Amino acid sequence: MANETQAGECRVFTAHDAFVKYSPGLRAPDESGPYFLGGYFLILLCNFTTTYTHPILPYVRLLAAIPAAKLLWDYGFSSSFDVLHRNRQTDLAMALLSLYGLLKVIEVCVVGFWNRPEDWPKWLSREDVKGNGQGEVKDAKGMNGKLKLIPFTPTILGRMLYAFDLLSVRGSSYLPDRIWDYAPKSMVEWKPPSRLRFLAFLILENINIYLLFDILQSLASTRTWDTTIPRPLTSTLPLHLQFFYAFLVCGMTVLSVVAGYYFGAIVTVPFGVPPSAWPPMFDQPFRAKSLQDFWSYRWHSIFRRTNDEISRGILSLLPTSYFNLHPRFIKFLRALIIFGLSMVLHFFLVWALPIDETHPYASGLFNPQIAKFFLSQPLGVFIELVLVHPTTAHLPDRWRKTIRRAFAWSWLLWSGRYWSDVWISRGLWGTKEQLILFSPVKRILHGRWTPC
């Protein structure tokens, strides 16, 4: 039986490994660089044109979308690049950067084709932000009181600054005094520390992440996984162990994202980028009080802006007003569209991973385990809204919160088993993918520093 442990190579890692492991996109082949730079340069040009109101510009952006999309697609999914010095995390990072660029092209050039000048994102002043404690407030636009608008300077340099800052993934700005109006509430109310305190926090946090990741990875490596089958978790283990390893996948996913994110902060903050440009990636996801709270506020919002804009465009094409649909149903329909978009996004992410003799399973672009995971989330939110919340509404506060949290986490662990199948079968728990260079856990238990 072929398996990941036997196929992986265990060795002592170098300082170079440390650098590329915490930012796997840096391991992209040199020949892929022009595709990446060319695609994002065209996005910048399109962002730049949004600062003008000439009626021909939407058509220019629509035409520019074709070469931009081709360049970005080739960057993330071309099989002609050198693969000898890459790992699966690098393939995943390249596909992620490619897909984010492609979604940005759709947002700016396609959905934005119908935008009015006032529809484009705006800067808001951070100085006017005051926490209002209202959980229903979703983003900067919904904060109590109107935050002061900061217009871009109508010069070439001012427009270029706007275009570059509009590449912001989640709504933070590279300028310390402002945020974007699509920033989530948690980011709006976050108070950035001083540069020195922030760097000290990053160092301590990375040490904590490293040690915690070492513990979780050591637990995950207690089994030998058969990566030649499509469902190495749900088809081989009893339910309680499926829940256990699904929790490990969730925890390691959070730590992997945060580790790479903080790596970028450590590299850029000493050279002038303000701490406010690096708000927390997650908002304490393990303290989520419901499924809706988890997905709407606690989980990362990397693709929130593009998903919101694309879902808005799709909803505008549906005859919702004709059928006089209830606003709550329209909200559910939008959630279904957003989870569907996320599902398709993850189809492409996993599809970008290579197939070899130890990871031969591939179902084409459509992956049933990914579909089960993402399509089960709006179903869980629906059950939560129509059944769990009404039946617990009159319970004492402690019991109400406990039952709702229990339902949310039971649902997440149950559905997370399907995503864990994908994660394991596609080799993302392989020895070459490990973030751990030297393992204190393995040193204590087995007398060696190597993580495998």
Side-chain angles (χ1 to χ4, degrees):
M1 177 187 297
N3 60 64
E4 184 64 33
T5 301
Q6 293 170 349
E9 176 189 357
C10 189
R11 60 186 179 85
V12 176
F13 294 99
T14 66
H16 176 264
D17 291 319
F19 190 70
V20 297
K21 276 180 177 290
Y22 276 85
S23 188
L26 296 175
R27 209 169 184 173
D30 293 340
E31 61 269 27
S32 68
Y35 295 86
F36 174 82
L37 295 175
Y40 273 91
F41 178 72
L42 287 174
I43 294 175
L44 279 172
L45 285 181
C46 291
N47 285 350
F48 183 81
T49 66
T50 64
T51 64
Y52 294 93
T53 58
H54 196 285
I56 196 65
L57 291 176
Y59 298 93
V60 173
R61 289 193 290 271
L62 203 58
L63 288 175
I66 299 172
K70 179 64 168 62
L71 288 167
L72 290 165
W73 176 266
D74 287 345
Y75 171 76
F77 300 96
S78 175
S79 59
S80 61
F81 298 142
D82 172 38
V83 297
L84 295 179
H85 303 294
R86 285 157 55 182
N87 58 12
R88 291 171 187 272
Q89 293 288 356
T90 300
D91 293 316
L92 208 59
M94 292 176 66
L96 185 63
L97 290 169
S98 169
L99 287 171
Y100 178 72
L102 289 167
L103 288 175
K104 203 69 177 172
V105 168
I106 294 172
E107 174 198 334
V108 175
C109 303
V110 181
V111 177
F113 182 82
W114 289 274
N115 275 7
R116 298 165 299 176
E118 61 269 23
D119 292 333
W120 294 106
K122 300 174 181 64
W123 279 318
L124 299 175
S125 172
R126 263 193 173 277
E127 297 176 359
D128 298 329
V129 173
K130 294 182 180 179
N132 57 22
Q134 296 185 5
E136 295 302 315
V137 174
K138 191 175 182 182
D139 54 27
K141 294 178 182 178
M143 298 294 289
N144 270 354
K146 292 186 178 180
L147 306 183
K148 180 181 178 182
L149 178 67
I150 302 179
F152 62 85
T153 306
T155 62
I156 295 296
L157 183 60
R159 296 174 195 272
M160 288 174 62
L161 187 62
Y162 176 91
F164 177 78
D165 208 36
L166 192 55
L167 289 177
S168 171
V169 175
R170 300 186 298 139
S172 59
S173 172
Y174 290 105
L175 301 172
D177 62 336
R178 63 195 70 185
I179 54 172
W180 287 102
D181 61 359
Y182 56 89
K185 174 177 176 283
S186 60
M187 187 184 302
V188 174
E189 296 187 343
W190 180 64
K191 303 300 182 184
S194 67
R195 191 178 303 272
L196 189 59
R197 286 181 177 271
F198 189 59
L199 286 172
F201 162 79
L202 290 174
I203 293 170
L204 292 175
E205 193 69 4
N206 272 281
I207 293 173
N208 292 333
I209 289 171
Y210 189 92
L211 294 175
L212 184 56
F213 201 99
D214 187 26
I215 294 171
L216 297 183
Q217 188 167 277
S218 297
L219 290 171
S221 64
T222 56
R223 298 193 67 87
T224 298
W225 299 100
D226 183 2
T227 57
T228 64
I229 59 177
R231 296 185 293 117
L233 182 72
T234 57
S235 66
T236 61
L237 297 180
L239 189 60
H240 69 284
L241 288 180
Q242 293 179 34
F243 283 164
F244 174 71
Y245 287 106
F247 178 79
L248 292 186
V249 169
C250 179
M252 293 172 73
T253 300
V254 171
L255 293 176
S256 297
V257 173
V258 173
Y261 182 70
Y262 283 161
F263 177 83
I266 287 177
V267 170
T268 58
V269 169
F271 296 97
V273 175
S276 60
W278 298 96
M281 177 61 76
F282 297 90
D283 186 15
Q284 300 177 307
F286 294 104
R287 299 186 66 179
K289 58 187 178 182
S290 65
L291 273 176
Q292 187 176 13
D293 180 44
F294 180 87
W295 290 116
S296 298
Y297 304 107
R298 304 287 185 172
W299 199 243
H300 71 72
S301 52
I302 292 177
F303 292 104
R304 176 184 164 186
R305 165 68 183 172
T306 51
N307 282 344
D308 277 352
E309 289 299 292
I310 294 172
S311 65
R312 179 174 64 85
I314 294 174
L315 274 178
S316 68
L317 300 176
L318 301 178
T320 53
S321 58
Y322 177 80
F323 290 104
N324 196 26
L325 298 177
H326 192 279
R328 182 169 289 186
F329 182 79
I330 295 175
K331 185 177 180 180
F332 170 75
L333 188 61
R334 188 176 186 188
L336 189 62
I337 293 171
I338 289 175
F339 277 112
L341 290 171
S342 296
M343 177 185 70
V344 173
L345 174 75
H346 286 78
F347 281 163
F348 281 104
L349 284 175
V350 172
W351 184 61
L353 298 174
I355 299 172
D356 54 37
E357 60 181 8
T358 56
H359 311 90
Y361 174 74
S363 57
L365 182 61
F366 178 81
N367 189 301
Q369 298 303 91
I370 295 177
K372 289 178 185 177
F373 174 73
F374 280 97
L375 295 182
S376 66
Q377 302 313 312
L379 174 62
V381 172
F382 180 76
I383 294 173
E384 190 176 67
L385 290 175
V386 302
L387 183 62
V388 178
H389 285 190
T391 56
T392 59
H394 301 292
L395 293 177
D397 185 64
R398 181 179 178 182
W399 282 103
R400 182 173 65 251
K401 289 180 178 179
T402 299
I403 293 173
R404 290 180 179 182
R405 281 195 173 115
F407 171 80
W409 280 102
S410 297
W411 192 273
L412 285 170
L413 288 175
W414 178 271
S415 58
R417 301 173 307 131
Y418 305 130
W419 176 251
S420 301
D421 274 331
V422 179
W423 194 263
I424 297 169
S425 68
R426 300 304 287 129
L428 292 167
W429 261 1
T431 55
K432 290 184 178 181
E433 317 308 321
Q434 296 174 349
L435 286 175
I436 300 301
L437 305 175
F438 305 100
S439 171
V441 172
K442 294 296 174 66
R443 176 64 180 176
I444 293 171
L445 296 179
H446 305 293
R448 67 173 189 269
W449 287 103
T450 51
C452 49

